[in-house]
Amino acid sequence: DAVAKESSPRSPFARAYHRRLEDLYGQLIQPGWRVLELGCGTGDLLAALKPKQGIGIDFSPETVAVARQRHPSLDIRVQDAHKLDLEGEFDAIILSDLINDLWDVQTVLKGIHAHCTPRTRIIINMYSRMWELPLSGARRAGLARPELQQNWLSPKDLENLLYLAGFNLIRHTQEIL
């Protein structure tokens, strides 16, 4: 909640980044799908995907209140991704810029398994540790939003965690510098 309260409006660079994410996710998720987004924030990415059923999970009541106001057609819930309490299976599950924020990545990956069918797409984007120093400088200059303490996992680390949780990696790409 403290991070949500401190957040300033997005910079032009951040807006461009989020528009790019919407484009990328839109190529992978078809409108009308059942979509779950963990760490949905204000719900903008989930809403942009035009799901038939869109459920967003975030652990910040402040952020969820904003998301509910901005996107009343979505089902936005205050929950901890480590302790999911929901029913149903989804066509796609999104973890956008969330992996680095998680305290226990393995628990979350195992938890989403119950909400998957054999055709469910788990779509994850995260940024590299190479961004740690530039983002830290941008935050100090007031050009980037504050963040939680970060886990810095490599793509190989994440691939191994997915494998341990029972998932098969289909594709890994580097889309954005």
Side-chain angles (χ1 to χ4, degrees), residues 7-173:
S7 294
S8 56
R10 286 186 178 154
S11 71
F13 297 110
R15 284 193 302 272
Y17 168 72
H18 287 277
R19 277 194 308 274
R20 179 69 178 134
L21 285 182
E22 289 172 7
D23 291 343
L24 290 170
Y25 275 78
Q27 294 172 26
L28 301 169
I29 297 172
Q30 301 199 7
W33 279 14
R34 294 165 299 155
V35 181
L36 170 65
E37 183 180 9
L38 302 181
C40 69
T42 58
D44 296 338
L45 175 59
L46 184 58
L49 298 172
K50 299 177 179 39
K52 174 174 75 176
Q53 177 190 20
I55 297 179
I57 303 294
D58 202 284
F59 76 161
S60 166
E62 293 278 336
T63 304
V64 167
V66 171
R68 286 176 176 161
Q69 183 178 7
R70 289 172 74 149
H71 307 290
S73 64
L74 299 175
D75 180 358
I76 309 291
R77 304 176 187 185
V78 177
Q79 279 190 38
D80 184 339
H82 296 86
K83 301 173 189 171
L84 283 181
D85 181 23
L86 59 117
E87 295 186 14
E89 296 173 330
F90 298 88
D91 300 306
I93 300 176
I94 298 171
L95 291 86
S96 178
D97 291 326
L98 178 70
I99 291 291
N100 297 51
D101 291 338
L102 296 173
W103 300 295
D104 186 347
V105 175
Q106 191 66 36
T107 295
V108 172
L109 294 176
K110 285 182 179 179
I112 63 176
H113 213 283
H115 304 287
C116 295
T117 70
R119 298 183 58 82
T120 298
R121 293 181 181 178
I122 310 293
I123 306 172
I124 300 170
N125 68 281
M126 59 187 226
Y127 50 90
S128 163
R129 186 177 180 97
M130 292 174 56
W131 280 99
E132 184 176 19
L133 187 59
L135 284 174
S136 177
R139 276 192 295 283
R140 280 194 303 277
L143 300 173
R145 293 176 170 203
E147 290 185 331
L148 302 173
Q149 186 68 33
Q150 298 290 287
N151 287 316
W152 295 100
L153 300 173
S154 71
K156 191 66 176 169
D157 292 334
L158 182 56
E159 182 179 344
N160 288 334
L161 290 170
L162 286 163
Y163 174 77
L164 291 172
F167 294 107
N168 294 316
L169 181 66
I170 303 299
R171 188 173 93 176
H172 166 251
T173 63

